[in-house]
Amino acid sequence: DRPVGTEFIVNHRGTAPGLICVIGDKVLYAVPGVPHEMQAMVDDVIVADLVRRSGESGVIASRVLRTWGAAESAIAEMVAPRLVALDAPGAPAATIAFLASGMEGIKVRITAKASTRDLVDAILDTEEHALRAIMGRLVFGVDDDSMERVVGQLLLNAGLTLAVAESLTGGLVSSRLVGVPGASAWFKGAVVSYASEVKFDLLGVANGPVVSAAAAIAMAEGVRNRLRADVGLGVTGVAGPDEQEGHPVGTVFVGLARPGHPAEAVELRLPGDRERVRQYAAIGLLDLLRLRLSSS
């Protein structure tokens, strides 16, 4: 069964078809929710149908700015004046949309339409420049950039190597880093110092509380020395479900040791359950390094 006047989109990867529904001068596409089935329909049918319908009169393209460090509502409030400007008469045919991507931050998508690809690219360039001026260092990448890929490129550009000491993240940070092609050029390795005695014996953390700024700094310095890296990162904290050393769940300390700068630690207060705290801590640690390398 299908609504009158609609066309099926054949599903070559499953059983549920999609639909092309023309409603007046608009068109609505309905696709299955299974990601790989949806993506195949978009790639094989929907994009081509959009191009055919736009004919020679228009080219549509998008660019995604990836951010970390602020909630969707905060970013929307920051960008609101730009949305108003795009609604003004004579403004370029562009839209801005937001997508909360959970443990990967907030994506800000710019979509533009013009008669040629060059004109579309010019609109995207203008809007990206305007949004970067508003959001500043919250923007860490574009389109498919990941935090670890950006950090790796910064390390490579600076000729620095990295070592990581992980406690509550249990290897999540190093797993992300080794997923970047060519990571061996700048990533030395990691120590998963989950137990307190490993922090004391292997990394030189002083006996005492291990959920602290001092412990995060000692972990960063210890792994840097142990693995003979230029830069050391350390992360310790409380993932839950119970508090630890008087700290509530979501308390995380990230430490950084690098040449020519005093070692430092930053306290993060992260929301969510155990898994979210661990994932947020991993990207938060990498973001600290990104911010410092990009400003040096």
Side-chain angles (χ1 to χ4, degrees), residues 3-294:
V4 173
T6 64
E7 300 176 41
F8 277 135
I9 303 175
V10 177
N11 188 344
H12 296 291
R13 300 191 179 186
T15 57
L19 290 170
I20 300 176
C21 313
V22 178
I23 306 169
D25 62 349
K26 303 291 191 296
V27 60
L28 183 148
Y29 302 94
V31 294
V34 180
H36 72 276
E37 296 180 19
M38 174 276 294
Q39 190 63 57
M41 290 186 184
V42 171
D43 293 341
D44 298 343
V45 177
I46 293 176
V47 170
D49 190 67
L50 284 167
V51 171
R52 179 181 62 80
R53 291 178 188 278
S54 65
E56 297 297 324
S57 63
V59 175
I60 301 173
S62 294
R63 185 177 299 169
V64 176
L65 302 185
R66 304 191 61 175
T67 74
W68 181 260
E72 182 179 6
S73 58
I75 289 179
E77 186 174 341
M78 294 169 64
V79 174
R82 197 64 205 162
L83 299 177
V84 173
L86 289 176
D87 280 338
T95 60
I96 297 172
F98 308 97
L99 175 63
S101 300
M103 292 171 280
E104 296 302 321
I106 308 299
K107 297 176 182 176
V108 182
R109 187 187 66 211
I110 313 162
T111 302
K113 181 178 180 180
S115 57
T116 68
R117 182 63 200 225
D118 286 344
L119 289 174
V120 165
D121 287 341
I123 294 172
L124 293 176
D125 289 344
T126 298
E127 292 308 312
E128 178 181 349
H129 179 77
L131 290 175
R132 283 182 178 274
I134 294 169
M135 296 186 290
R137 296 203 297 168
L138 291 175
V139 179
F140 70 82
V142 177
D143 291 335
D144 294 328
D145 286 341
S146 63
M147 182 68 77
E148 55 269 25
R149 185 181 294 273
V150 170
V151 165
Q153 190 60 53
L154 288 169
L155 288 165
L156 194 62
N157 293 345
L160 300 172
T161 56
L162 172 67
V164 180
E166 304 187 54
S167 183
L168 80 158
T169 51
L172 287 175
V173 178
S174 47
S175 178
R176 292 184 66 138
L177 293 173
V178 299
V180 178
S184 58
W186 44 267
F187 182 49
K188 282 292 192 76
V191 173
V192 179
S193 53
Y194 202 68
S196 295
E197 57 267 26
V198 178
K199 297 180 181 68
F200 303 149
D201 299 340
L202 190 61
L203 297 177
V205 176
N207 286 325
V210 293
V211 181
S212 66
I217 289 174
M219 291 170 66
E221 292 177 326
V223 77
R224 177 190 179 194
N225 294 330
R226 278 282 183 175
L227 300 188
R228 299 184 180 90
D230 299 309
V231 179
L233 289 175
V235 56
T236 181
V238 187
D242 302 315
E243 68 173 31
Q244 183 178 346
E245 297 178 354
H247 293 289
V249 173
T251 303
V252 173
F253 293 93
V254 293
L256 169 62
R258 56 185 176 134
H261 299 270
E264 63 175 304
V266 174
E267 180 179 357
L268 307 176
R269 291 298 178 96
L270 303 176
D273 57 14
R274 180 179 176 84
E275 179 61 18
R276 287 185 178 276
V277 169
R278 295 175 66 239
Q279 294 284 357
Y280 288 148
I283 193 170
L285 176 65
L286 293 176
D287 191 49
L288 171 64
L289 179 56
R290 173 189 73 92
L291 291 172
R292 297 300 182 264
L293 290 178
S294 60

